[in-house]
Amino acid sequence: MPYGRHIVDNDDIASVTEVLRSDWLTSGPKVKEFEAEVVSLCEAKYGVAVSSGTAALHGAMHAIGIGHGDEVIVPAMTFAATANSVVYAGGTPVFADVVTDTLLIDPSKVESLITPKTKAIVAVDYAGQPCDYDELLTIADLYGLKLIADSCHSLGSSYKGKMTGSIADMTIFSFHPVKHIATGEGGMVVTNSQDWAEKIACFRNHGITTDPKQRMDSGTWLYQMEELGYNYRLTDIQCALGLSQLKKLPYWLECRDNLAGHYDNKLISSPDIQPLKNLEQRTHARHLYVVRLGTGISREVVYKALHKDGIGVNVHYIPVYMHPYYKREFKFAEGLCPVAEEAFKHILTLPLHPAMSTADVDYVLECLGRVI
Ligand SMILES: *Cc1c(COP(=O)(O)O)cnc(C)c1O
């Protein structure tokens, strides 16, 4: 029982097979269709599909013009790619601590990190729960910063009635198989800004302003490279899978919510296993089910014992600046974000994905209880 896993059914296979028999394997109609569907789900205006969530983050940094000497505030408790994208663009990540009971970026810590070099804040909807966007938007407005939502955990969630994707300046999604929907690898930037969407569409295609289909449709061979871009395109094959997967998202979100609710109910009075707190006025996409183990419990012992029982528990995440690369290249030292560091020692991600049953949840908790 892995901590997360995709589901691929016959409809998905048929959808991909149809593209394999068509004229466009990449940069064709399925890309536009997939972008339109994600944008509609998010109640936003523009979507640019790219080859991964990481490429989407990189594209967002490019669009807002991050470069040498710029600082971008990112939470310590996230996947390395959030901070790496700042480094790709030539900027410097500045790590903000998180809130103890949610592990979401702490708006009260963000403000003190702002300097004249700060250009943007990246908020991560950790485990699938939307961040405190009102507070973050207020800070961003006050200091003239851009707010990027790394919503790789929270496709389909909402905050105060607004869909994730329609709140921040730009929102990033990933379609890696462990996330809510899979395209193999894949990602998207969603935004209401036509300017940024166009910049990222160009960035994903070597910095060339038109794609082959646009040139074919307008009867010209001429293409021009306006700036240095990358090959970050998502293929029609992948988008066909994404379109088919997206149809099942509402049902999968419901499954995740039921399973996570079952964990919550069973753990309500457990002294040793504490779930994270669910905040009001938002719907949680329930990507990861993270618990905090009591301080007297060895996570290593628990981790090994559960893996012996076939339960793929995991740890999300080691604070990014504690990775050897960041310590070496940016001289980050332990003690920078004490809440994230303390949480990191005790958190454990329990299996949660739509193919599980509530009996599976009971089994996980039974094994966990026995080990403890
Ligand atoms: C998965 C993930 C990414 C990167 O997405 P990929 O599609 O794997 O490149 C970035 N940020 C967070 C928080 C993620 O969970």
Side-chain angles (χ1 to χ4, degrees):
M1 198 189 299
Y3 81 87
R5 192 199 140 88
H6 61 273
I7 298 173
V8 169
D9 66 14
N10 285 334
D11 289 340
D12 296 320
I13 293 168
S15 176
V16 171
T17 309
E18 188 194 314
V19 167
L20 290 174
R21 295 184 205 283
S22 79
D23 290 337
W24 294 96
L25 296 187
T26 193
S27 305
K30 290 292 171 192
V31 179
K32 290 219 160 50
E33 230 183 283
F34 184 46
E35 288 170 343
E37 287 296 324
V38 173
V39 160
S40 147
L41 167 77
C42 294
E43 298 172 354
K45 285 191 183 153
Y46 305 97
V48 185
V50 289
S51 53
S52 68
T54 305
L57 282 161
H58 189 186
M61 292 300 149
H62 167 79
I64 60 170
I66 298 303
H68 189 72
D70 293 336
E71 293 178 355
V72 178
I73 297 171
V74 302
M77 184 57 74
T78 183
F79 182 54
T82 313
N84 292 355
S85 66
V86 179
V87 181
Y88 296 154
T92 305
V94 174
F95 292 96
D97 211 346
V98 292
V99 177
T100 314
D101 52 9
T102 60
L103 304 185
L104 295 174
I105 190 167
D106 186 341
S108 74
K109 306 260 174 72
V110 167
E111 205 160 355
S112 64
L113 298 171
I114 296 171
T115 73
K117 293 177 177 171
T118 310
K119 292 284 154 39
I121 303 165
V122 184
V124 175
D125 298 333
Y126 180 83
Q129 173 155 248
C131 294
D132 297 308
Y133 281 103
D134 278 352
E135 289 80 352
L136 293 168
L137 283 166
T138 302
I139 296 170
D141 277 353
L142 192 61
Y143 294 90
L145 310 177
K146 302 293 182 280
L147 181 64
I148 312 285
D150 179 341
S151 299
C152 290
H153 293 185
S154 60
L155 182 67
S157 67
S158 66
Y159 173 82
K160 298 191 179 173
K162 289 189 200 125
M163 287 303 290
T164 293
S166 68
I167 305 160
D169 290 311
M170 273 184 272
T171 302
I172 309 305
F173 296 111
S174 163
F175 311 120
H176 180 279
V178 91
K179 310 288 165 69
H180 288 81
I181 64 164
T183 61
E185 298 284 353
M188 199 177 293
V189 182
V190 170
T191 180
N192 285 333
S193 159
Q194 186 178 359
D195 179 42
W196 289 334
E198 282 172 359
K199 279 206 172 95
I200 297 165
C202 181
F203 185 71
R204 76 172 162 190
N205 187 33
H206 308 280
I208 295 169
T209 45
T210 53
D211 66 36
K213 189 165 188 307
Q214 285 169 328
R215 289 196 291 280
M216 197 179 92
D217 293 347
S218 62
T220 179
W221 60 268
L222 180 72
Y223 67 88
Q224 284 184 310
M225 192 193 122
E226 295 285 351
E227 50 192 331
L228 186 65
Y230 292 77
N231 180 350
Y232 277 166
R233 295 184 301 255
L234 195 63
T235 65
D236 277 52
I237 303 168
Q238 291 167 300
C239 291
L241 180 55
L243 278 163
S244 172
Q245 291 260 304
L246 207 49
K247 290 187 186 141
K248 287 157 280 203
L249 179 68
Y251 172 65
W252 287 343
L253 284 168
E254 209 180 294
C255 294
R256 286 177 177 278
D257 201 48
N258 286 336
L259 294 164
H262 193 66
Y263 271 125
D264 283 349
N265 290 338
K266 292 262 166 159
L267 291 173
I268 208 151
S269 55
S270 164
D272 300 320
I273 313 162
Q274 256 180 15
L276 295 181
K277 187 176 167 189
N278 298 331
L279 300 172
E280 285 175 357
Q281 293 187 294
R282 52 205 101 187
T283 60
H284 191 315
R286 298 293 204 174
H287 166 54
L288 299 174
Y289 195 84
V290 177
V291 295
R292 190 190 296 260
L293 300 176
T295 48
I297 298 164
S298 161
R299 182 182 56 202
E300 285 322 291
V301 170
V302 171
Y303 178 91
K304 289 206 175 90
L306 287 175
H307 274 259
K308 265 205 184 119
D309 287 335
I311 298 170
V313 289
N314 214 326
V315 177
H316 298 91
Y317 296 93
I318 177 170
V320 176
Y321 60 83
M322 287 169 70
H323 284 292
Y325 168 82
Y326 280 100
K327 284 187 177 168
R328 191 179 67 234
E329 299 296 326
F330 292 86
K331 309 286 175 255
F332 285 118
E334 279 175 40
L336 187 63
C337 297
V339 177
E341 287 181 29
E342 169 63 19
F344 161 60
K345 291 182 196 148
H346 304 291
I347 49 177
L348 191 69
T349 305
L350 308 181
L352 175 64
H353 54 85
M356 284 172 63
S357 65
T358 50
D360 290 329
V361 170
D362 291 337
Y363 177 68
V364 171
L365 291 178
E366 184 195 311
C367 294
L368 187 56
R370 197 178 337 118
V371 177
I372 286 174

